[in-house]
Amino acid sequence: MKIQRYKHDNDISWTLGATLTIELLKCRPKQISRVFFNSRLEQSDSIENLITLCNQHNIPIEPNDKIFNILSPKGNCYVIAEFRKYTGKLSDTSHIVLVNPSDMGNLGTILRTAVGFGIQNVAVIRPGVDCFDPKAIRASMGALFHVEIEYFDSIKSYCAKFPNHLRYAFMLSKSAKSLTDNKFQEPCSLIFGNEASGLPGEYADFCKPVIIKHSSNIDSLNLSMAVGIAIFEYTRNNW
Amino acid sequence: MKIQRYKHDNDISWTLGATLTIELLKCRPKQISRVFFNSRLEQSDSIENLITLCNQHNIPIEPNDKIFNILSPKGNCYVIAEFRKYTGKLSDTSHIVLVNPSDMGNLGTILRTAVGFGIQNVAVIRPGVDCFDPKAIRASMGALFHVEIEYFDSIKSYCAKFPNHLRYAFMLSKSAKSLTDNKFQEPCSLIFGNEASGLPGEYADFCKPVIIKHSSNIDSLNLSMAVGIAIFEYTRNNW
């Protein structure tokens, strides 16, 4: 089979690197079709671990330098897993909802932080970046595979599927409650807008607006920072 | 004068973009030698604002398309300010201390969050990334110019200069207190290690170790996320 650069429309994607591959093996071994290693890969404990995991799951592992030139031309990557993309399904617990996220680095960092604080359900309202792009996988440090990520065509279809979730929209609004004063009820949805435009004002009509208060010396917090701080605060008594 | 690409050793740097240039004009106008605009720049209120600010400070503003090709070849940038780098001086209030930060994106995001929550003193222990690199300036969204950033050759020289600061080291350590239980005393130093290696164990000998507790499903939080969450928690009663 011919290897091509990653495309959003393809059914397969790749983890570029040993750490990401091991996370995929731990969380979603059935999705993996094969694992490749580079001839420059040196023997080490983590590689032994990788081979053991592949064998346990009957996943072929083979040398192939060419794929590294295509998928990771800058080098510095010695292990790649090829896997079939899958569709996440949100459970009835609390969710992070990202409305039109446009930056893969932000999405990855958000997933890493969400997993770090025990949030394993993330909704993305389209249009939104592709979570299976190798760049998003890398930014998540593999946390992606621990999370159920479900895409929705609109916030309306998300709300229709989870009518009983209490919705907290992080936005500027006269009626917004400060994050540190807000008492979250469960299960809930913590909803965040696009990097450049935030959430439209009408979200205040069907959500409780929440604000992370900060100095006027900045326009806004970085999106992943805002989401991370909100998750930290929401889960602060769990750790 | 010939324009060259940014070099760490040069005395000058550039803000690539109108937003960053306006922050520089607001905070450090005396550092600016000249402002350039691209012929593709369209008339707008923010440009009028820019010209007014330049005139107020007697800063020459001139058309020059060539500098955009050199400093911002990808386009999408229509205003550039050239400025003389300066040396920050920490005051006696609380500080963020970054030990050997290696990623300009992280440094920028940290500065943006610090300014957002009112922390305006940041120490960098060398080796550490150059805060005046245009990429770091961009990641900070211009927040950089609101902050005093002082570089130190070692943590020892930092501690010698601020002997009365209570030092909190964010690290794994048996004696580490959870961030949410910790009572910060002022003035203090919130100290964070390098992205890949964290803080060396010996920091526990001269600092109080603090930990941001999280799930074992991730190895660690992203550095800028850890710093951002710590600043949020430290300043939570100020906003």
Side-chain angles (χ1 to χ4, degrees):
Chain A
M1 199 189 100
K2 212 180 139 198
I3 304 280
Q4 292 180 308
R5 287 188 143 242
Y6 177 75
K7 280 186 194 144
H8 173 59
D9 294 336
N10 280 3
D11 294 335
I12 59 167
S13 184
W14 293 277
T15 51
L16 307 182
T19 310
L20 307 181
T21 300
I22 285 172
E23 291 302 308
L24 177 61
L25 274 160
K26 283 196 296 193
C27 301
R28 314 267 179 177
K30 289 189 176 158
Q31 299 307 120
I32 306 176
S33 39
R34 31 185 194 164
V35 172
F36 303 102
F37 61 90
N38 192 296
S39 58
R40 286 177 299 160
L41 180 69
E42 281 166 32
Q43 215 60 26
S44 74
D45 285 353
S46 68
I47 297 314
E48 292 296 328
N49 185 9
L50 188 79
I51 293 169
T52 308
L53 279 167
C54 285
N55 289 342
Q56 273 171 16
H57 296 289
N58 287 319
I59 296 164
I61 175 163
E62 54 194 71
N64 180 332
D65 285 7
K66 212 169 145 192
I67 188 175
F68 291 86
N69 296 333
I70 297 167
L71 296 176
S72 180
K74 283 190 189 163
N76 215 5
C77 163
Y78 305 108
V79 176
I80 290 178
E82 178 184 288
F83 69 97
R84 289 175 297 278
K85 299 183 194 174
Y86 50 90
T87 306
K89 275 263 165 282
L90 302 188
S91 73
D92 250 339
T93 59
S94 292
H95 309 153
I96 299 298
V97 181
L98 303 174
V99 180
N100 313 143
S102 67
D103 183 283
M104 285 189 271
N106 278 339
L107 178 63
T109 305
I110 289 167
L111 297 174
R112 180 175 172 189
T113 313
V115 171
F117 294 126
I119 302 278
Q120 270 149 338
N121 287 267
V122 175
V124 176
I125 312 301
R126 294 193 179 96
V129 281
D130 175 7
C131 68
F132 287 121
D133 188 299
K135 289 187 206 115
I137 299 173
R138 166 154 293 277
S140 85
M141 296 293 277
L144 178 89
F145 304 119
H146 290 264
V147 185
E148 295 296 318
I149 304 173
E150 192 169 342
Y151 282 74
F152 293 85
D153 284 329
S154 66
I155 188 72
K156 212 173 151 187
S157 61
Y158 168 80
C159 295
K161 190 160 176 188
F162 297 99
N164 299 326
H165 271 57
L166 263 129
R167 293 186 282 268
Y168 300 99
F170 285 75
M171 61 193 293
L172 295 173
S173 161
K174 274 183 198 159
S175 61
K177 209 154 187 183
S178 169
L179 172 64
T180 50
D181 295 333
N182 192 53
K183 300 268 172 271
F184 290 99
Q185 292 180 48
E186 313 213 6
C188 66
S189 313
L190 309 186
I191 307 175
F192 301 84
N194 168 269
E195 285 86 349
S197 53
L199 287 176
E202 64 255 32
Y203 273 66
D205 301 340
F206 58 94
C207 305
K208 287 177 195 276
V210 177
I211 191 170
I212 304 174
K213 289 192 176 172
H214 60 71
S215 142
S216 61
N217 281 334
I218 62 165
D219 241 28
S220 68
L221 292 166
N222 165 283
L223 173 64
S224 58
M225 188 61 74
V227 181
I229 286 171
I231 298 174
F232 166 77
E233 183 67 7
Y234 170 63
T235 63
R236 65 182 288 127
N237 297 322
N238 302 356
W239 300 99
Chain B
M1 199 191 102
K2 211 180 138 198
I3 304 281
Q4 293 182 309
R5 290 191 139 239
Y6 177 76
K7 278 184 195 147
H8 173 60
D9 294 336
N10 280 2
D11 293 335
I12 59 166
S13 183
W14 294 277
T15 51
L16 307 182
T19 311
L20 307 182
T21 300
I22 285 172
E23 290 303 308
L24 177 61
L25 274 159
K26 284 196 296 194
C27 301
R28 314 267 178 177
K30 290 189 178 162
Q31 299 307 121
I32 306 177
S33 39
R34 29 184 195 166
V35 171
F36 303 102
F37 61 90
N38 192 296
S39 58
R40 286 178 299 158
L41 180 68
E42 282 166 31
Q43 215 61 25
S44 75
D45 286 354
S46 66
I47 296 314
E48 292 298 326
N49 185 9
L50 189 78
I51 293 171
T52 308
L53 280 167
C54 285
N55 289 342
Q56 273 172 17
H57 296 289
N58 288 320
I59 297 164
I61 174 162
E62 54 192 72
N64 180 331
D65 285 8
K66 213 169 144 191
I67 188 175
F68 291 86
N69 296 332
I70 297 167
L71 296 176
S72 179
K74 284 188 187 163
N76 215 5
C77 162
Y78 304 107
V79 176
I80 290 178
E82 179 183 287
F83 68 97
R84 290 176 296 279
K85 299 184 195 174
Y86 50 91
T87 306
K89 274 265 165 280
L90 302 188
S91 73
D92 250 340
T93 59
S94 292
H95 309 153
I96 300 297
V97 181
L98 304 174
V99 181
N100 313 144
S102 67
D103 183 282
M104 285 189 270
N106 278 339
L107 178 63
T109 305
I110 289 167
L111 297 174
R112 180 175 172 188
T113 312
V115 171
F117 293 126
I119 302 278
Q120 270 149 337
N121 287 267
V122 175
V124 175
I125 311 301
R126 294 193 179 96
V129 280
D130 175 7
C131 68
F132 287 121
D133 189 299
K135 289 187 206 117
I137 298 174
R138 166 153 293 277
S140 85
M141 297 293 277
L144 177 89
F145 304 119
H146 291 264
V147 185
E148 295 296 318
I149 304 173
E150 192 169 342
Y151 282 74
F152 292 85
D153 284 330
S154 66
I155 187 72
K156 213 174 152 187
S157 62
Y158 169 79
C159 295
K161 188 158 178 190
F162 297 99
N164 299 326
H165 271 56
L166 263 128
R167 293 185 283 268
Y168 299 99
F170 284 75
M171 61 191 294
L172 295 172
S173 161
K174 273 182 198 158
S175 61
K177 209 152 186 183
S178 169
L179 172 63
T180 50
D181 295 333
N182 193 52
K183 301 267 173 270
F184 290 98
Q185 292 180 47
E186 314 214 7
C188 66
S189 312
L190 309 186
I191 307 174
F192 300 85
N194 169 269
E195 285 86 349
S197 52
L199 287 176
E202 63 256 32
Y203 273 65
D205 301 339
F206 58 94
C207 306
K208 287 177 195 277
V210 177
I211 190 170
I212 304 174
K213 289 193 175 172
H214 61 71
S215 141
S216 61
N217 282 333
I218 61 166
D219 241 28
S220 69
L221 293 166
N222 165 283
L223 173 63
S224 57
M225 188 61 73
V227 180
I229 287 171
I231 297 174
F232 166 77
E233 182 67 8
Y234 170 63
T235 62
R236 64 182 290 126
N237 297 322
N238 303 355
W239 300 100

